[in-house]
Amino acid sequence: MVKKRKPRTAPYKKPDPMPRNPAQNSGPQPRTSAKKQPKHERSNLTLHDWLTVVAWVDERRESGFKVSQQDVAHAEANPSALSAKRVRVVTRPDVEKSLYLWVKHMEEKGEHVTGHMLVEKRRRFEEMMNVPENERLQSNRWVQSFCAA
């Protein structure tokens, strides 16, 4: 005995969207009631700007605004101390140049240079150039600044 199938029903019909109130759309509406805040750009002072500030402070020392002589001497002796960026210190320029040339050569060959490769190559260059043990870089913190330069 063969069972009959149920007859198919019509596909589901979505209900119509809710009618909108025409009074709400009377004109252009803002997307949000929040106001956009103006951007405040920050800029670093140049050496000239800092020296101008130091000169201004020197003229007005009597006003109670105090800057120590040590701060002024430090600013005059180390102009880069006033900049926002940190100066990269190179302990051995000969090893640094050799390492730079090696990295450049590897990039020309299409090779990828990793931090571990840099550390090992620097160690080998320091051995080849007879750098004393006390002048060799022991940590790996120099790799990031070397790659950024």
Side-chain angles (χ1 to χ4, degrees):
M1 191 163 154
V2 177
K3 287 188 175 180
K4 286 188 173 182
R5 288 184 170 181
K6 287 184 179 178
R8 289 187 177 183
T9 58
Y12 176 76
K13 184 180 179 216
K14 288 184 177 180
D16 291 334
M18 296 291 288
R20 295 187 180 195
N21 186 356
Q24 287 180 338
N25 295 334
S26 60
Q29 297 288 323
R31 294 183 189 185
T32 179
S33 61
K35 292 183 180 179
K36 198 171 189 179
Q37 294 293 324
K39 286 189 176 182
H40 297 284
E41 291 192 21
R42 300 178 85 183
S43 61
N44 296 324
L45 297 178
T46 63
L47 175 61
H48 179 266
D49 295 337
W50 275 107
L51 292 177
T52 305
V53 169
V54 170
W56 181 84
V57 168
D58 284 341
E59 291 173 7
R60 290 161 180 81
R61 287 223 183 240
E62 300 85 32
S63 66
F65 182 71
K66 302 287 183 193
V67 174
S68 70
Q69 187 62 34
Q70 183 181 8
D71 294 338
V72 174
H74 181 70
E76 289 174 350
N78 303 318
S80 61
L82 299 173
S83 69
K85 292 188 177 183
R86 218 173 160 171
V87 178
R88 193 163 105 53
V89 178
V90 177
T91 54
R92 294 292 300 218
D94 51 346
V95 175
E96 198 82 12
K97 184 174 182 180
S98 301
L99 196 59
Y100 169 76
L101 292 173
W102 176 77
V103 169
K104 191 174 175 184
H105 174 71
M106 293 295 282
E107 287 175 349
E108 288 172 358
K109 286 177 26 179
E111 297 288 330
H112 180 72
V113 178
T114 65
H116 295 295
M117 291 169 71
L118 282 171
V119 170
E120 181 60 26
K121 199 63 172 178
R122 181 176 183 108
R123 189 185 63 75
R124 289 184 184 181
F125 281 142
E126 287 173 338
E127 285 177 3
M128 287 171 37
M129 296 179 183
N130 297 323
V131 176
E133 285 292 326
N134 61 346
E135 291 183 19
R136 294 184 185 186
L137 294 179
Q138 304 299 327
S139 69
N140 298 342
R141 289 184 289 170
W142 60 270
V143 174
Q144 186 176 6
S145 63
F146 179 83
C147 293

